[in-house]
Amino acid sequence: MTSIDTPDRRLDGNALAGPLLELFTIDLSAAMATCVHCDGTAPLGEQQLYADAPALVLRCRDCTGVLLRYSADSHSTGIATVRADLSGLRLLVAHVPAAGASR
Amino acid sequence: MSTTTRGFSGRRRQRTDGRLPPGQYDVGDAFPVLSAGPTPRVDLGTWDLTVQGQVDHVARWTWEDFTALPHEDITVDLHCVTAWSKFDTRWRGVSLDTLLEGISPGGSFVSAFCDGGYTTNLPLADLTGGRAWAVDGYGGAPLEPVHGGPVRLLVPHLYLWKSAKWLRGIAVTEHDEPGFWERFGYHGYGDPWREQRYAGG
């Protein structure tokens, strides 16, 4: 599919880093994400984020397939419901401090 | 038409005439654009609209065919699951009663499918009886691509995610098959008056 370029409608994936910290303990911007649709691999922060939707939708920069969807809805009880669909990620590789490693 | 992007700024107006479903606010003259992906570039020379799936025969309209179908003007209120509502919106399009005429369905549900890969599921009955249209005009002009042009589905009695943009067809299904947002946990039916935003909630 070709598309009309509407860069005002998308962000780069770095804008997803903050919201994902509600669920993950590390910043995933530099994590390498492999697309389940085309096998394209790039840092999560360099993928394409569509934020004007009922949920945040991250798409592959190569094939525009959906990599992940994420939403957090706050309730009056002070609890938020987080939904994460990671089915478009075939692989996510991140480098984190090793357990027990000396610094 | 004015569009609103990120932030959906503007005063959150309420109404007292009973037309605002629970949990919604009146967005006024703005028409927020929600995009879960790129806006498809559509070639009207190859575009078609089909009714397919569990049917006795596939019905297909080219762009020329579609524009020659009887059109009607529609004025309806819109209710988006992200909580804005927009009132007295004016559309022009073809009733789904016209598109489904003469089709013998072998199922009670449909999956609307679109350029860009979007899908949404609905009961077939909700597309009939003058309650749903395939629209190609808005506000007296051709429907803009950002709002779903050349043709989008319009099912105003359900949340707006059911009114699929960039519509390419309706597949009749035997079972209710969750679409793009329904697989993410959104409600299978999406009645704004019952606040059916999420499945099970």
Side-chain angles (χ1 to χ4, degrees):
Chain A
M1 181 197 79
T2 61
S3 58
I4 299 168
D5 190 29
T6 51
D8 57 317
R9 307 226 59 82
R10 66 171 184 261
L11 304 171
D12 69 55
N14 288 307
L16 188 62
L20 284 183
L21 286 173
E22 293 161 335
L23 198 59
F24 298 95
T25 58
I26 60 165
D27 183 337
L28 289 171
S29 299
M32 297 301 288
T34 301
C35 173
V36 78
H37 311 285
C38 74
D39 273 348
T41 300
L44 207 68
E46 294 181 15
Q47 309 287 359
Q48 298 181 341
L49 182 68
Y50 289 84
D52 295 334
L56 298 171
V57 179
L58 190 72
R59 289 182 177 265
C60 173
R61 68 177 188 179
D62 295 328
C63 76
T64 75
V66 175
L67 294 172
L68 70 83
R69 297 184 286 177
Y70 183 90
S71 70
D73 299 301
S74 298
H75 307 297
S76 56
T77 56
I79 299 294
T81 301
V82 172
R83 286 181 169 78
D85 167 14
L86 310 178
S87 60
L89 287 174
R90 190 172 66 71
L91 186 64
L92 188 66
V93 178
H95 299 290
V96 301
S102 58
R103 308 218 178 168
Chain B
M1 94 185 52
S2 62
T3 58
T4 302
T5 55
R6 234 176 309 287
F8 307 145
S9 57
R11 198 160 60 89
R12 294 203 161 201
R13 285 175 283 201
Q14 299 298 316
R15 293 179 71 108
T16 56
D17 58 2
R19 290 170 65 186
L20 192 67
Q24 298 291 110
Y25 69 94
D26 180 357
V27 78
D29 292 334
F31 194 165
V33 175
L34 270 64
S35 297
T39 300
R41 185 184 299 278
V42 176
D43 176 3
L44 294 178
T46 57
W47 182 92
D48 65 4
L49 186 72
T50 58
V51 175
Q52 55 177 263
Q54 300 295 312
V55 291
D56 58 335
H57 68 280
V58 174
R60 174 178 179 269
W61 297 268
T62 65
W63 178 249
E64 192 176 40
D65 297 334
F66 180 81
T67 54
L69 289 170
H71 280 54
E72 52 191 80
D73 293 314
I74 311 126
T75 300
V76 293
D77 302 338
L78 308 178
H79 307 297
C80 178
V81 71
T82 60
W84 58 264
S85 290
K86 184 171 175 60
F87 293 87
D88 299 316
T89 60
R90 295 185 301 113
W91 304 83
R92 184 165 176 78
V94 178
S95 170
L96 261 291
D97 291 310
T98 300
L99 298 177
L100 294 168
E101 193 177 343
I103 302 285
S104 293
S108 301
F109 299 93
V110 303
S111 175
F113 58 92
C114 306
D115 278 323
Y118 184 81
T119 59
T120 190
N121 53 299
L122 307 101
L124 176 60
D126 282 76
L127 297 188
T128 59
R131 295 195 295 165
W133 297 267
V135 292
D136 57 353
Y138 175 78
L143 182 58
E144 290 182 49
V146 291
H147 285 298
V151 172
R152 78 179 294 168
L153 187 61
L154 180 64
V155 193
H157 67 283
L158 301 178
Y159 279 126
L160 199 55
W161 90 78
K162 298 289 187 179
S163 295
K165 293 178 176 180
W166 313 306
L167 183 69
R168 290 300 299 273
I170 301 290
V172 176
T173 59
E174 188 176 349
H175 304 288
D176 197 13
E177 298 175 3
F180 183 84
W181 288 120
E182 293 83 2
R183 285 196 303 275
F184 189 66
Y186 279 76
H187 200 278
Y189 187 64
D191 180 351
W193 293 97
R194 289 185 280 170
E195 258 198 296
Q196 292 176 333
R197 301 177 197 272
Y198 297 109

